[in-house]
Amino acid sequence: MRLLLVEDDRNLNRQIAAALTGAGYAVDKAFDGEEGQFLGETEPYDAVILDLGLPIVDGVSVLTSWRRGGRKMPVLILTARDNWSDKVQGFDAGADDYVAKPFHMEELLARIRALLRRSTGHASSELVAGAVHLDTRSGKVSVEGVQVKLTSHEYRLLSYLMHHTGRVVSRGELTEHLYDQDFDRDSNTIEVFVGRLRKKLGVELIQTVRGLGYLIEGPGTGGADRKTGASG
């Protein structure tokens, strides 16, 4: 999952980005409202952490512009302002959640996990597909109760596909959502990671839909009519 962090306090920006990266997310950073607004308008983020008190363009104006432009990604407002009127202003602009500084990093991470679950239609922090269980809280993956060790990129790929079960996800979409803007993106690496995941999981989970991308079947998904293959 790929996140955008817009926070002008460079020390706090660094701390939050490190925590998010450690939790398995790809993170793009912006330090003022103008840069953040541009990234939010041009890149496909799964969620955004947005400070209200930003230089150049304030956070409420940034969020208002995104929503007017049809940008629907979940947005968590992060600000030192802790009175009810600022919260109302943020929610009215289109925010999905709100955390006031100072905060515990675990709370911020939990709220991001919740935003991502709700935006993809999942009620539980544990994602299940067949014999595969992915715990978004701990970042652990198990198959029939046996834990499987994955690299950060393998985990990101599996997590994105399991958040979007029942839907074919193209290689291009995976490339856009698994890597930050500074990463040297190559869609061919997706095939490599899919191959590694299949070997490590040892179960038939990730299907290749020829010419379209990859699919993890969801409850009630009819896959019998799709032309699928096991190769990347």
Side-chain angles (χ1 to χ4, degrees):
M1 307 293 250
R2 185 180 174 195
L3 309 181
L4 172 62
L5 170 61
V6 190
E7 166 61 60
D8 63 308
D9 184 321
R10 291 187 174 269
N11 186 49
L12 182 58
N13 192 309
R14 178 185 57 79
Q15 293 175 2
I16 296 174
L20 292 170
T21 301
Y25 302 108
V27 183
D28 288 346
K29 298 179 290 183
F31 299 93
D32 61 64
E34 184 177 57
E35 181 184 17
Q37 181 174 326
F38 173 76
L39 289 173
E41 290 173 346
T42 58
E43 296 291 335
Y45 294 107
D46 296 293
V48 177
I49 299 171
L50 177 68
D51 185 28
L52 287 187
L54 294 168
I56 305 180
V57 182
D58 68 89
V60 170
S61 297
V62 170
L63 181 53
T64 300
S65 176
W66 286 341
R67 295 313 191 211
R68 286 177 177 171
R71 304 297 288 173
K72 298 179 180 179
M73 65 280 194
V75 175
L76 183 147
I77 291 295
L78 182 66
T79 178
R81 306 169 189 170
D82 195 20
N83 63 64
W84 67 268
S85 61
D86 289 318
K87 294 180 182 180
V88 170
Q89 188 179 22
F91 282 123
D92 283 346
D96 299 274
D97 203 353
Y98 189 108
V99 174
K101 305 172 189 175
F103 58 88
H104 292 286
M105 197 66 72
E106 284 302 319
E107 178 186 0
L108 179 65
L109 293 174
R111 289 181 179 274
I112 288 296
R113 290 194 298 268
L115 283 180
L116 293 171
R117 288 200 308 271
R118 290 197 295 267
S119 69
T120 54
H122 294 274
S124 172
S125 59
E126 184 175 40
L127 308 181
V128 181
V132 179
H133 290 237
L134 186 151
D135 190 332
T136 60
R137 295 166 300 182
S138 64
K140 294 181 179 180
V141 175
S142 62
V143 178
E144 296 181 343
V146 179
Q147 187 174 339
V148 178
K149 293 184 178 180
L150 302 179
T151 67
S152 61
H153 285 95
E154 291 166 353
Y155 176 84
R156 288 180 191 175
L157 174 57
L158 180 62
S159 177
Y160 192 85
L161 290 175
M162 290 187 69
H163 271 89
H164 296 85
T165 53
R167 179 170 73 82
V168 179
V169 181
S170 70
R171 291 180 179 85
E173 180 179 341
L174 286 169
T175 301
E176 289 181 334
H177 286 265
L178 298 186
Y179 308 124
D180 59 56
Q181 61 181 347
D182 296 327
F183 192 87
D184 184 15
R185 302 175 188 178
D186 181 356
S187 61
N188 291 329
T189 62
I190 297 296
E191 297 180 11
V192 175
F193 289 132
V194 169
R196 291 177 181 174
L197 269 175
R198 285 174 172 152
K199 290 180 181 179
K200 289 187 176 182
L201 297 176
V203 293
E204 293 186 4
L205 179 71
I206 304 173
Q207 300 181 28
T208 298
V209 182
R210 294 193 183 101
L212 296 177
Y214 299 101
L215 168 71
I216 291 181
E217 294 281 8
T221 303
D225 295 332
R226 292 189 180 92
K227 294 181 179 180
T228 61
S231 63

